[in-house]
Amino acid sequence: MGKFGMSQPVPRTEDPRLLTGKGRFTGDMSLPGHVHALFLRSPHAHAEIVGIDTAAAAAAPGVLAIYTGADVSAAGLGDIPCAVPVKHRDGTKAPRPGRPLLAGDRVRFVGDNVAMVVAETVEQAQDAVELITVDYRPLPAVAVIEDAITDDAPRIWEGAPRNIAFFWQSGDEAAVDEAFDRAEQVVRIDLVNNRVVPCAMEPRAVVGDYHPVSGRYTLYTSCQGAHDIKTAVAKHTLKVSEEAVHVIVGDVGGSFGSKQFHYAEEALVLWGARQLGRPIKWTGDRLEAFLCDTHGRDQRNHVEAALDADGRFLALRVHTHANMGAYLNTYAPAIPSQLTGCMLSGVYAIPAIHAVCEGVYTNTVPVDAYRGAGRPEATYLIERLMDAAAHDLGLPPDEIRRRNFILPDQMPYTTA
C-alpha cells in the first residue's frame, strides 16, 4: 500500500480477533462495583401520566434508586434536541420539542422512557420495574401519516397544526410548471416507502462512570458517533463542559445509523453513577431495540414527471410526507428533505425539479438516519418512476433509462 494514498485498499487487521470471539463490545464491559439499570417504558402510544408510585419497587431487595421525570427535571438535566432548524410553510420557525430523558407529564409512543431502576443485579432490577405503578390517562393516538394530517386528528404537539412538524421545498417551481405545460406525456405515481426497524447484532449497551476527584464522566457506549454523543451529553443533557465527558467506543456490533445519535440511557447512567457513586451498566434487549431505537424511512411520495415525445424527462415534481414519529430526532428532518432532495434525479439528466417535503408527527418511535440516510429513498423513487414511465410510453425499461442517462460530454453535471 502506498503511503497516504486515496482509494487504496487497506488490509483488515480486526478479523481474526472478531472471528475467534475475542472482540471487546460494550456488553462485555464490567467495571469494579458496577450496578445495573433497567427502564420502565410506556405501554401506551399517547397518555397523560397522572401519578407514579415507586414505593414498593424502592423497597424491593437490591434496589439502590428509582428515578422518574420529576427527578430529572429537579436536577436540571436537559432534553435531547433536534439539530436541524425547521420551519412552517409560511417561513416562521416551527417548534422543535426535545426528546426527554424520562417522560414528564405525558408519553407519546409505546416505549417512551418513564422511569429508571438501579439495582445490584439485573434480576433485582427486573423485579423492581414490575412493582412500579403508573396511573396513565390514555389519550387518542395516531400512528400513520394519513390519519395524522387530517383536520380533526389528535394534536401531538402544540404549535403543529395537523401534526405538520416542518415544511421544506427546493428547486425551480416556475420552470417545472412551464415544463409540464409543454409536456407530451405526464406520468404520475404514488409510493409508500415503509418504515424499517434496525436490528443490530449487538443491541445498544452503555456503561457510565463518574470520578468525583477529577469531576469526569466516562461513558462506554456501542455507537458510531462518539464525538457527536460527547458534545450532546455535555452541552444538552448533563450540561457540563465537554472536557468533563470522556466517550469510549470499543467494537460495535452493527449500527447502520441507528447508533449514531445520543440516547437517553447514555445520559441517565452517567448522572445516576454520580448520584450513587458507583458505575452503572445497561444492556438493552431485542424488544427494547424494536421499541426505542430510532426507525428509518416511513414516507409517502406523490411523484410526477413531464416527458417529451421521445420519452426524455423535462421536469420532475415530488411531494413527500415523512413520518417523524413522536419527536424530531437529531438529524431527522434533514433525511427526507435535504438528503433525499439532493439525490432525486439519480443518474438521469432532468432539467427542472421541484420538491416539497412535509414532516409529520405521529405517536410512533422517532425516525432518523438509517442505512444510506435518504439516498435509498431517492433511488427507490426515481427508479420506480422510470419503470412507470416505460410502461406508460410502451418502452423497454432499459431504453427509457438509456435515453435519460447523464452523458459523458455533460460532465461535470450539476443537478437541478
Side-chain angles (χ1 to χ4, degrees):
M1 174 182 175
K3 194 173 184 180
F4 308 123
M6 292 182 64
S7 302
Q8 296 185 41
V10 179
R12 293 174 60 91
T13 60
E14 68 271 29
D15 292 345
R17 176 173 54 83
L18 295 174
L19 293 172
T20 56
K22 297 177 181 178
R24 185 65 166 169
F25 299 90
T26 306
D28 297 323
M29 285 295 303
S30 295
L31 298 182
H34 80 256
V35 292
H36 297 270
L38 283 181
F39 292 85
L40 175 68
R41 306 187 191 273
S42 170
H44 295 278
H46 201 194
E48 291 181 3
I49 298 177
V50 179
I52 303 177
D53 184 354
T54 62
V63 174
L64 302 173
I66 298 176
Y67 301 108
T68 67
D71 299 311
V72 167
S73 178
L77 302 186
D79 295 341
I80 301 172
C82 172
V84 181
V86 291
K87 295 182 179 181
H88 289 303
R89 182 180 287 269
D90 62 5
T92 59
K93 288 185 178 180
R96 287 187 295 169
R99 185 170 176 174
L101 302 182
L102 294 171
D105 59 352
R106 184 176 294 198
V107 291
R108 288 180 168 85
F109 69 94
V110 173
D112 222 349
N113 292 343
V114 176
M116 179 174 77
V117 173
V118 183
E120 293 284 355
T121 69
V122 172
E123 293 76 17
Q124 289 171 333
Q126 289 173 332
D127 291 342
V129 165
E130 294 181 4
L131 293 174
I132 299 175
T133 301
V134 183
D135 183 6
Y136 293 104
R137 181 179 295 135
L139 299 170
V142 287
V144 297
I145 292 170
E146 292 81 0
D147 294 338
I149 60 177
T150 61
D151 291 333
D152 58 351
R155 183 74 62 85
I156 298 173
W157 292 103
E158 291 303 318
R162 295 175 55 247
N163 294 309
I164 298 298
F166 66 86
F167 175 87
W168 173 91
Q169 65 176 335
S170 185
D172 191 335
E173 186 175 12
V176 169
D177 290 343
E178 187 276 330
F180 272 84
D181 288 341
R182 58 185 171 85
E184 292 291 332
Q185 179 82 18
V186 174
V187 178
R188 297 180 175 89
I189 57 172
D190 289 291
L191 300 175
V192 174
N193 201 316
N194 60 277
R195 178 176 287 239
V196 294
V197 180
C199 189
M201 292 181 290
E202 181 193 29
R204 287 191 299 112
V206 295
V207 180
D209 196 12
Y210 177 73
H211 306 273
V213 176
S214 65
R216 194 180 206 192
Y217 297 88
T218 301
L219 175 68
Y220 301 86
T221 184
S222 173
C223 78
Q224 68 180 83
H227 297 285
D228 287 348
I229 291 171
K230 172 187 170 75
T231 299
V233 167
K235 184 177 180 181
H236 300 297
T237 52
L238 292 189
K239 299 181 179 178
V240 297
S241 70
E242 288 200 41
E243 290 74 17
V245 179
H246 186 199
V247 177
I248 299 175
V249 180
D251 293 324
V252 179
S255 173
F256 296 115
S258 65
K259 293 182 184 176
Q260 183 174 348
F261 325 107
H262 176 30
Y263 285 90
E265 294 84 0
E266 293 163 330
L268 288 169
V269 297
L270 290 173
W271 176 65
R274 179 171 183 173
Q275 308 308 306
L276 298 176
R278 297 176 67 178
I280 298 177
K281 180 176 183 177
W282 169 75
T283 303
D285 61 25
R286 190 64 63 195
L287 176 60
E288 287 179 299
F290 273 62
L291 285 177
C292 309
D293 293 5
T294 57
H295 291 177
R297 319 268 198 261
D298 205 345
Q299 298 181 11
R300 307 293 185 270
N301 310 114
H302 178 69
V303 189
E304 299 178 319
L307 296 91
D308 65 16
D310 295 323
R312 290 182 172 81
F313 276 55
L314 303 174
L316 175 65
R317 183 187 285 149
V318 179
H319 192 132
T320 296
H321 283 98
N323 192 342
M324 294 288 98
Y327 304 96
L328 289 182
N329 213 64
T330 308
Y331 306 115
I335 307 304
S337 57
Q338 299 166 31
L339 293 182
T340 297
C342 72
M343 297 291 289
L344 282 172
S345 57
V347 296
Y348 305 107
I350 303 177
I353 301 175
H354 183 244
V356 168
C357 179
E358 294 181 271
V360 181
Y361 287 120
T362 63
N363 294 114
T364 61
V365 181
V367 168
D368 211 312
Y370 174 71
R371 190 92 178 178
R375 286 81 156 187
E377 294 92 312
T379 301
Y380 175 70
L381 184 154
I382 192 63
E383 297 301 338
R384 283 291 305 275
L385 181 63
M386 283 290 169
D387 285 340
H391 178 272
D392 288 1
L393 273 63
L395 293 171
D398 59 334
E399 175 59 23
I400 197 165
R401 287 173 167 83
R402 186 189 65 78
R403 295 184 187 186
N404 286 284
F405 277 143
I406 300 169
L407 300 177
D409 60 8
Q410 293 176 286
M411 294 294 184
Y413 183 82
T414 300
T415 67

